[in-house]
Amino acid sequence: RLRDWLKDFQKKGVTRVDATQTRPFDAAEKELVAGMVAAVEKLLKEYPTTASAPTQLRGLAFALPLLAAAPVVSMSWLLGLGLLAAAVFGAWAFWALRGAPEDPAAERDGVPADVLARHKRLEVAAQRLAKSAQWGAFRSRAKGDGGLEYAESREFEAGDTLRDVDWLEYAQSGELRTKVFDQEREMPLILVIDVSPSGAFGTRGASKSSVIEDVSAVLALAAARTNLRVGAVLFSDRVEAVIPPGGGKAHGWRVAQAALQTRPQGTGTDLRPALEAAAKLAKTRAIVTVVSDFISPADFKEALSATGARHDVRLIRVTDPAETRALPEVGLVPVVDVESGATRVLDTSSSGVRAEIAGAVARREARIDDAFSAVRTVPIVLTTEGDALDELSQNFQPKRKTGAVQP
């Protein structure tokens, strides 16, 4: 409306000298009015239009009827109007940009509808998770000496002070154990995200990789919403990307985008370099959360144990039902290893072949469980069937095995 009024003023081409006299624009005044029209046109073209813009411009809208009622105004009055317009539009631009969504996909034209819908779903899930009691429990404080509240006890080590010995435990069991306390310092969240090719597998509509991506993104966004610093290590059989811990919603979306968009250069899966990178990334004790299917030819128990000695380790395992169920009798079936590219034809009608596959699966699962025992943590297990984000919110607080304290 301001643009239209200025254009009408430009078209009339006259300005008021006093209460009764008018005169045509001189050359300088014509150039001034044309510049004001062009400036308003540029503002309207370049600055974003948001749902809140009408509210932000409501004060100016009240003044427009008064402008319309005056067929001609003085040039000095117009200069004042120009300054007012610049201030109003500058404020509008500031608030529109400030109120713009943190999700970078929402700012780009031509983004596919399914991508926008996915980002919106992740944002909603993160908001719900950030408000849950489970998230408050997940954001546990650092544990160490000199804290305020007893958390658990561990084996006595050389260098421990007698002041922190759990004498009640010693009287009952005869074992020297050291008390561990909760400290007030809050730990950053380090996400260790599996982006290896094996994640492409899925038999229930969703692939493992899509679940890993969504879960990692939601954790990053929930951390940002609650002012928890978050960083990430993305890995295959090597470290693919590292994002140092940072705070704020923009940083949370940076981590989320990395989880959603990183495509691996490696062709296998090895957690060891990723865990080492995560340990180096965190300068202090951190919540190191691994999101993976944990299917790896390399034994990662020692690396997981070393990480657990310094950090609070959480495990989120993503599986597909077909990976653990008995092989059905359907005759000859060609299978491909998505990481090595090796192919094999299985005779599923053979009891020996089915027994061989079942044995390999059992050994793999036993090896994974043994590695998990190094940090005494039962992982959250999510599957490719159902709503993984809903499962995450319902089962978010991991339970410790017997003898350990739940965070």
Side-chain angles (χ1 to χ4, degrees), residues 25 56 105 209 212 241 248 313 366 384:
F25 291 162
Q56 296 157 0
S209 61
I212 291 173
V313 176
T384 56

PDB file of all heavy atoms in Angstrom, residues 25 56 105 209 212 241 248 313 366 384:
ATOM      1  N   PHE A  25       7.084  19.051  -9.677  1.00  0.00           N
ATOM      2  CA  PHE A  25       8.402  18.613  -9.225  1.00  0.00           C
ATOM      3  C   PHE A  25       9.481  19.240 -10.088  1.00  0.00           C
ATOM      4  O   PHE A  25       9.310  19.399 -11.308  1.00  0.00           O
ATOM      5  CB  PHE A  25       8.554  17.090  -9.375  1.00  0.00           C
ATOM      6  CG  PHE A  25       7.695  16.289  -8.428  1.00  0.00           C
ATOM      7  CD1 PHE A  25       7.444  14.953  -8.694  1.00  0.00           C
ATOM      8  CD2 PHE A  25       7.164  16.856  -7.287  1.00  0.00           C
ATOM      9  CE1 PHE A  25       6.676  14.189  -7.840  1.00  0.00           C
ATOM     10  CE2 PHE A  25       6.383  16.100  -6.427  1.00  0.00           C
ATOM     11  CZ  PHE A  25       6.139  14.759  -6.703  1.00  0.00           C
ATOM     12  N   GLN A  56       3.382  -6.963  12.042  1.00  0.00           N
ATOM     13  CA  GLN A  56       4.524  -6.071  12.189  1.00  0.00           C
ATOM     14  C   GLN A  56       4.311  -4.760  11.460  1.00  0.00           C
ATOM     15  O   GLN A  56       4.883  -3.736  11.817  1.00  0.00           O
ATOM     16  CB  GLN A  56       5.779  -6.776  11.672  1.00  0.00           C
ATOM     17  CG  GLN A  56       6.139  -8.001  12.502  1.00  0.00           C
ATOM     18  CD  GLN A  56       6.975  -8.985  11.715  1.00  0.00           C
ATOM     19  OE1 GLN A  56       7.281  -8.762  10.555  1.00  0.00           O
ATOM     20  NE2 GLN A  56       7.336 -10.079  12.349  1.00  0.00           N
ATOM     21  N   ALA A 105      16.013 -25.933   5.156  1.00  0.00           N
ATOM     22  CA  ALA A 105      15.236 -26.387   4.000  1.00  0.00           C
ATOM     23  C   ALA A 105      14.008 -25.518   3.795  1.00  0.00           C
ATOM     24  O   ALA A 105      13.543 -25.312   2.679  1.00  0.00           O
ATOM     25  CB  ALA A 105      14.823 -27.843   4.178  1.00  0.00           C
ATOM     26  N   SER A 209      19.324 -46.967   7.485  1.00  0.00           N
ATOM     27  CA  SER A 209      19.976 -45.661   7.402  1.00  0.00           C
ATOM     28  C   SER A 209      18.989 -44.519   7.616  1.00  0.00           C
ATOM     29  O   SER A 209      19.317 -43.524   8.270  1.00  0.00           O
ATOM     30  CB  SER A 209      20.680 -45.499   6.050  1.00  0.00           C
ATOM     31  OG  SER A 209      19.747 -45.577   4.992  1.00  0.00           O
ATOM     32  N   ILE A 212      18.394 -44.287  11.325  1.00  0.00           N
ATOM     33  CA  ILE A 212      19.571 -43.716  11.976  1.00  0.00           C
ATOM     34  C   ILE A 212      19.629 -42.210  11.747  1.00  0.00           C
ATOM     35  O   ILE A 212      19.912 -41.429  12.662  1.00  0.00           O
ATOM     36  CB  ILE A 212      20.853 -44.398  11.469  1.00  0.00           C
ATOM     37  CG1 ILE A 212      20.920 -45.850  11.965  1.00  0.00           C
ATOM     38  CG2 ILE A 212      22.100 -43.631  11.911  1.00  0.00           C
ATOM     39  CD1 ILE A 212      22.058 -46.659  11.384  1.00  0.00           C
ATOM     40  N   ALA A 241      33.127 -37.510   8.865  1.00  0.00           N
ATOM     41  CA  ALA A 241      32.990 -36.089   9.182  1.00  0.00           C
ATOM     42  C   ALA A 241      32.995 -35.907  10.689  1.00  0.00           C
ATOM     43  O   ALA A 241      32.585 -36.806  11.435  1.00  0.00           O
ATOM     44  CB  ALA A 241      31.701 -35.515   8.588  1.00  0.00           C
ATOM     45  N   GLY A 248      23.022 -23.773  20.353  1.00  0.00           N
ATOM     46  CA  GLY A 248      22.115 -22.987  19.530  1.00  0.00           C
ATOM     47  C   GLY A 248      21.384 -23.826  18.499  1.00  0.00           C
ATOM     48  O   GLY A 248      21.847 -24.893  18.104  1.00  0.00           O
ATOM     49  N   VAL A 313      28.494 -43.387  28.159  1.00  0.00           N
ATOM     50  CA  VAL A 313      28.179 -43.968  26.846  1.00  0.00           C
ATOM     51  C   VAL A 313      26.731 -44.427  26.806  1.00  0.00           C
ATOM     52  O   VAL A 313      26.255 -45.127  27.704  1.00  0.00           O
ATOM     53  CB  VAL A 313      29.117 -45.143  26.514  1.00  0.00           C
ATOM     54  CG1 VAL A 313      28.699 -45.798  25.197  1.00  0.00           C
ATOM     55  CG2 VAL A 313      30.554 -44.647  26.418  1.00  0.00           C
ATOM     56  N   ALA A 366      25.966 -62.488  19.767  1.00  0.00           N
ATOM     57  CA  ALA A 366      26.700 -62.718  21.017  1.00  0.00           C
ATOM     58  C   ALA A 366      27.906 -61.791  21.109  1.00  0.00           C
ATOM     59  O   ALA A 366      28.223 -61.265  22.190  1.00  0.00           O
ATOM     60  CB  ALA A 366      27.146 -64.176  21.103  1.00  0.00           C
ATOM     61  N   THR A 384      13.071 -51.082  11.846  1.00  0.00           N
ATOM     62  CA  THR A 384      12.604 -50.422  10.624  1.00  0.00           C
ATOM     63  C   THR A 384      11.104 -50.572  10.432  1.00  0.00           C
ATOM     64  O   THR A 384      10.549 -49.982   9.497  1.00  0.00           O
ATOM     65  CB  THR A 384      13.328 -50.997   9.397  1.00  0.00           C
ATOM     66  OG1 THR A 384      13.136 -52.424   9.373  1.00  0.00           O
ATOM     67  CG2 THR A 384      14.808 -50.693   9.451  1.00  0.00           C
TER      68      THR A 384
END
